[in-house]
Amino acid sequence: MTHFRTCNLCEAMCGLRIETSAGRVTSIRGDEADPFSKGHVCPKAVALQDLHEDPDRLRQPVRRTATGWQPISWEEALDETARRLHAIQREHGKDAVGVYVGNPTVHDHGAMMFLPLFLRALRTKNKFSASSVDQLPHQLAAYLMFGHQFLIPIPDIDHTRYMLILGANPLASNGSLMSAPGVRHRLKAIQQRGGRVVVVDPRKTETAHVADEHVFIRPGTDALFLFALLHVLLEEAGPKLGRLAEFAEGLSTVRELARGFTPEHAAPHTGVPAETTRRIARELSASEAAVCYGRVGVSTQAFGAMCQWLINVINIVTGNLDRPGGALFTRPAFDIVGGPKAMAMNRGSHGRWRSRVRGLPEFSGELPVAALGEEVLTEGPGRIRAMVTSAGNPVMSTPNGRQLDTAFASLDFMVCIDPYINETTRHAHLILPPSSKLERSHYDLAFHALAVRNTAKWSPPLFEPGPDTRHDWELFLELKHRLETLRGEPRVRGALTYRALKALGPDGLLDLGLRAGPYGMKLRPFRKGLSLASLKAWPHGVDLGPLEPSIPQRLATRDRRIQLAPEPLVADLQRLRQTFPEGASATGDGALLLIGRRHLRDNNSWMHNVPQLVKGKPRCTLMVHPEDARRLGLRDGGEAVIASRVGEVKAPVSVTDEMMPGVVSLPHGYGHGREGVQLRVAGEHAGVSINDLTDDRALDALSGNAAFSGVHVRVEPVESARTNEPQQNSATG
């Protein structure tokens, strides 16, 4: 049989043509009839079959006992989970339970729709997610400037003629907050129509190799570079807001702020020559259609929110926001921004409460995950005593993973909604494994709202789940219902809500959202338009057209105006000036700056149990520039000790001029050698975790996002480390 689906392993939404026989997958390849991906597919797609058939994947709930993991029934597991969470909150308060949500959640419309219901039922303020180690600066900038955290401008890569890329490697990510299957072809098309692609990054990435120009920049200094660009744009060319001038406030403030940040001021800190900065600014200004795009590398640093703010401002003052070839807002069929209130994502919030220990600000109801370890380990009222994790592995994915490892081992109770016994879930008392990705229907709620073209596609389950399988949305609904029942909350209303949601399920809610959306039937059954039924008639998906101008209608600010100079971001400039004073330069104390990286075959920490994706040359190496290697006595293929404030690891060395001098790189998501992990393939390719080096104290003070990019580390050959072992131990604690 032939099935058409969307790959739900990354943001690209590639269409798949899957052949099955006798209940097994026989081939997976790109769907050439998919109007968005047009046959493109990356190597990760084969993992859908491997993940489904993986013998290490749990298929029923398990309880941790003194003699090992014991299978239990779903009723017993759900009852015990609700009972223990309720008991801990009754004795220690509602905030004694913490929650962590990993990024696979956003690839599952059932989880996205039903998880918020469970979180509201928990009533805890101690909510954490992968957002604060990733895209939180994007969301904060969007909230402050445009009025909604998911009004994130998307590069119109298919029509631009000049693309400036900072801290992003779309050839490895397939586009991030810019869903764009076949990025390589899209970038080449810019060049074929006479345009340019310029990459600014501390590493010459895969994307930099196909660009017209690559510029090295010192990690953590992108805000200075962006301000220097803005200075030139405003002082030389002047603002070109065009029709947006009518809808924008704060231009005079921005102009005044930028006056003090010249390219000459920035150059000693960034390592980017002033003349290079001026030239790039002039090229941006002169291009008939240009866009500035920054991603993880500029978000995961001490001024991440400021970077994303400045990127938006640059696109605005060059006249490239809300115009073809620049950056535009999407118009998705299921509108998570402007749709019916019951189905839209919340617009955001900032600083309504703060974390107990360090006073870090909440954003959109979440606290920075960099605070999670200390919130468990620090005694006192409000300490987290129980954890719920869903689709996440924070021991591997968040700063100071060893501290979090210790914290999770100390909990009174932990339950994990996850299909694997991994570095985090090994600490659980109960693990509740959801259905596989091929056993559930699929619609990309988030990524259709972040894509470079408006499309819509629904995929049915490839395989029907067995009678003892539960979807994650069912787990969230059942736990919500049990918690409310234990509290004695209105039983009639609660029972009615429970039954209605169970009957609708995520696809029923999806149908309502599509009907109420911009292309929908508006809940009137006889009007033509999108609905779930109509999407089922288009198995390859439907093309809804290119991104189009939508300001002011799309803005969610109260006055429908763009805020160019939001007060929290303006106030944060004092911190930037203090960090990078004029006339000073980067200081060299002998430390190197550590950055992360990803590979096309990697996807955070959970794809390393797929043989097809980990075969070949080992990827978990420390990349070092030849000058640094000579200075430190490192050799290609040798082993080095890398130490930071929080710990040290050993990794093989890869000497390459793709690194900026003074900067080293380890990949994200490795380190599978911990005791109790039941991932056989991953264990054979264990590597080391970069998050045993990243620092929970290093973050963007405004947004709370972790500052992974530019961690200070000391590197030396293993032989030297052995010789200096007593001193090394003393120095690193």
Side-chain angles (χ1 to χ4, degrees):
M1 291 184 63
T2 302
H3 311 262
F4 299 101
R5 287 184 58 89
T6 298
C7 181
N8 50 2
L9 295 175
C10 79
E11 298 184 35
M13 299 189 292
C14 295
L16 302 179
R17 181 187 180 99
I18 304 179
E19 305 288 343
T20 62
S21 177
R24 292 201 62 192
V25 173
T26 56
S27 76
I28 299 178
R29 62 182 189 270
D31 177 12
E32 294 181 355
D34 186 288
F36 189 43
S37 61
K38 299 179 180 178
H40 173 81
V41 70
C42 87
K44 287 194 289 290
V46 299
L48 286 169
Q49 176 182 3
D50 293 288
L51 292 169
H52 179 72
E53 298 176 355
D54 192 344
D56 290 339
R57 181 169 69 88
L58 298 175
R59 287 161 171 79
Q60 64 184 107
V62 292
R63 178 194 286 128
R64 180 161 55 88
T65 71
T67 57
W69 294 98
Q70 175 189 44
I72 59 174
S73 72
W74 278 109
E75 288 300 309
E76 188 178 2
L78 292 166
D79 287 344
E80 182 176 339
T81 297
R83 186 180 70 252
R84 295 191 68 174
L85 292 176
H86 175 64
I88 286 170
Q89 287 187 313
R90 187 173 55 187
E91 182 177 354
H92 300 288
K94 60 185 181 181
D95 296 331
V97 172
V99 182
Y100 175 85
V101 179
N103 84 339
T105 301
V106 80
H107 299 272
D108 179 351
H109 70 293
M112 283 192 70
M113 290 173 167
F114 283 79
L115 174 63
L117 303 175
F118 170 60
L119 295 180
R120 283 196 288 272
L122 271 179
R123 300 176 177 176
T124 180
K125 290 182 178 177
N126 281 317
K127 292 176 286 194
F128 310 86
S129 82
S131 295
S132 56
V133 290
D134 191 340
Q135 79 279 359
L136 194 56
H138 287 268
Q139 294 173 242
L140 178 59
Y143 168 68
L144 294 174
M145 296 182 73
F146 309 122
H148 197 290
Q149 62 174 319
F150 289 109
L151 269 180
I152 296 173
I154 306 303
D156 189 12
I157 188 173
D158 292 338
H159 300 100
T160 195
R161 297 182 67 87
Y162 191 98
M163 189 167 188
L164 176 61
I165 301 173
L166 293 91
N169 187 12
L171 258 66
S173 68
N174 287 313
S176 184
L177 297 189
M178 181 188 71
S179 296
V183 171
R184 181 184 295 271
H185 301 297
R186 295 175 191 269
L187 292 176
K188 284 187 177 295
I190 296 174
Q191 297 163 329
Q192 289 165 358
R193 55 181 174 263
R196 278 175 60 79
V197 178
V198 178
V199 172
V200 179
D201 199 285
R203 179 170 77 92
K204 191 169 185 179
T205 62
E206 293 84 350
T207 303
H209 276 288
V210 303
D212 296 281
E213 181 180 3
H214 168 247
V215 178
F216 280 127
I217 187 169
R218 190 167 289 112
T221 65
D222 297 80
L224 277 182
F225 173 71
L226 290 163
F227 250 127
L229 288 177
L230 187 59
H231 172 93
V232 177
L233 289 167
L234 293 175
E235 293 299 315
E236 289 192 8
K240 301 178 179 179
L241 274 68
R243 68 178 188 84
L244 292 187
E246 183 183 349
F247 311 113
E249 288 188 359
L251 178 60
S252 59
T253 301
V254 167
R255 185 194 288 272
E256 186 61 33
L257 294 173
R259 283 202 173 102
F261 292 97
T262 65
E264 289 72 22
H265 171 195
H269 299 285
T270 63
V272 180
E275 57 270 24
T276 300
T277 302
R278 290 185 181 278
R279 175 178 53 78
I280 291 174
R282 291 163 184 158
E283 290 172 354
L284 268 173
S285 179
S287 178
E288 63 186 72
V291 66
C292 182
Y293 165 66
R295 217 8 228 118
V296 173
V298 291
S299 289
T300 55
Q301 55 179 273
F303 298 97
M306 189 175 293
C307 287
Q308 298 302 342
W309 165 50
L310 292 170
I311 286 170
N312 288 338
V313 171
I314 286 170
N315 285 330
I316 292 168
V317 302
T318 56
N320 287 301
L321 180 73
D322 202 46
R323 84 167 184 186
L328 300 106
F329 299 126
T330 58
R331 192 169 179 253
F334 189 110
D335 192 355
I336 62 174
V337 172
K341 187 175 179 181
M343 296 183 184
M345 306 290 286
N346 75 77
R347 61 190 298 268
S349 59
H350 186 237
R352 289 182 295 160
W353 64 83
R354 292 181 175 266
S355 65
R356 175 180 64 103
V357 178
R358 221 185 317 172
L360 301 177
E362 68 82 35
F363 179 79
S364 192
E366 293 183 10
L367 290 169
V369 73
L372 177 53
E374 66 197 28
E375 291 295 328
V376 176
L377 293 171
T378 304
E379 293 291 342
R383 179 171 75 87
I384 295 175
R385 297 172 178 270
M387 278 296 301
V388 181
T389 72
S390 176
N393 189 358
V395 166
M396 300 285 284
S397 304
T398 66
N400 199 351
R402 289 178 179 171
Q403 180 194 56
L404 206 54
D405 218 1
T406 301
F408 286 163
S410 72
L411 290 167
D412 297 343
F413 178 64
M414 183 174 183
V415 59
C416 298
I417 299 173
D418 201 282
Y420 288 106
I421 300 172
N422 60 31
E423 293 76 17
T424 293
T425 64
R426 68 193 178 118
H427 294 296
H429 296 84
L430 293 171
I431 303 178
L432 313 180
S435 56
S436 86
K437 289 180 173 291
L438 296 183
E439 294 175 322
R440 61 184 79 149
S441 61
H442 180 70
Y443 184 90
D444 276 295
L445 290 181
F447 300 123
H448 282 306
L450 299 169
V452 299
R453 191 172 180 89
N454 293 310
T455 61
K457 183 178 176 181
W458 177 84
S459 302
L462 193 71
F463 301 119
E464 285 300 318
D468 202 33
T469 300
R470 300 290 183 274
H471 300 304
D472 40 16
W473 71 266
E474 293 177 299
L475 303 182
F476 295 136
L477 182 60
E478 293 296 335
L479 290 173
K480 170 187 182 294
H481 181 59
R482 281 164 167 79
L483 281 171
E484 291 172 345
T485 300
L486 287 168
R487 293 191 190 116
E489 295 179 0
R491 300 197 175 184
V492 173
R493 188 177 67 191
L496 288 173
T497 301
Y498 168 72
R499 285 200 292 268
L501 288 170
K502 193 169 186 176
L504 278 171
D507 286 344
L509 295 176
L510 173 63
D511 185 44
L512 293 175
L514 291 170
R515 289 170 179 267
Y519 313 92
M521 303 169 78
K522 309 297 182 187
L523 305 180
R524 295 195 288 263
F526 300 109
R527 179 180 171 183
K528 290 184 178 179
L530 273 189
S531 65
L532 182 57
S534 64
L535 275 189
K536 288 179 179 179
W538 287 306
H540 305 284
V542 57
D543 182 18
L544 300 170
L547 306 185
E548 296 180 340
S550 60
I551 290 177
Q553 295 83 3
R554 195 72 169 141
L555 294 174
T557 48
R558 288 180 174 84
D559 57 1
R560 286 289 195 273
R561 295 176 68 80
I562 300 167
Q563 299 301 314
L564 280 171
E567 190 279 329
L569 288 158
V570 172
D572 202 34
L573 272 174
Q574 183 177 358
R575 184 168 63 98
L576 184 71
R577 292 190 182 102
Q578 290 172 346
T579 304
F580 303 110
E582 191 167 5
S585 61
T587 58
D589 60 356
L592 296 168
L593 299 178
L594 174 69
I595 63 171
R597 68 180 189 270
R598 69 179 294 174
H599 189 277
L600 184 63
R601 291 175 178 267
D602 290 338
N603 195 354
N604 301 323
S605 65
W606 60 285
M607 300 292 282
H608 297 145
N609 214 47
V610 178
Q612 285 285 94
L613 297 184
V614 294
K615 67 181 182 180
K617 186 178 179 181
R619 298 194 290 270
C620 190
T621 63
L622 182 75
M623 297 178 80
V624 185
H625 189 274
E627 291 177 10
D628 294 318
R630 283 192 294 270
R631 176 173 59 85
L632 297 169
L634 301 171
R635 60 180 179 82
D636 191 64
E639 197 171 30
V641 174
I642 311 103
S644 71
R645 183 190 73 84
V646 303
E648 69 175 40
V649 299
K650 296 177 184 177
V653 174
S654 175
V655 179
T656 172
D657 60 5
E658 293 183 349
M659 296 305 304
M660 183 179 187
V663 183
V664 295
S665 173
L666 279 172
H668 175 78
Y670 287 86
H672 303 289
R674 290 169 169 85
E675 184 180 353
V677 174
Q678 296 187 17
L679 298 167
R680 283 169 283 187
V681 175
E684 294 169 1
H685 303 80
V688 297
S689 175
I690 190 174
N691 286 315
D692 286 344
L693 299 171
T694 56
D695 197 333
D696 56 302
R697 295 183 190 173
L699 43 71
D700 175 9
L702 181 59
S703 70
N705 205 71
F708 287 136
S709 186
V711 176
H712 286 254
V713 294
R714 300 267 177 187
V715 180
E716 59 182 328
V718 167
E719 295 78 10
S720 299
R722 287 176 184 148
T723 302
N724 300 324
E725 192 168 348
Q727 293 89 340
Q728 183 68 36
N729 287 343
S730 173
T732 61

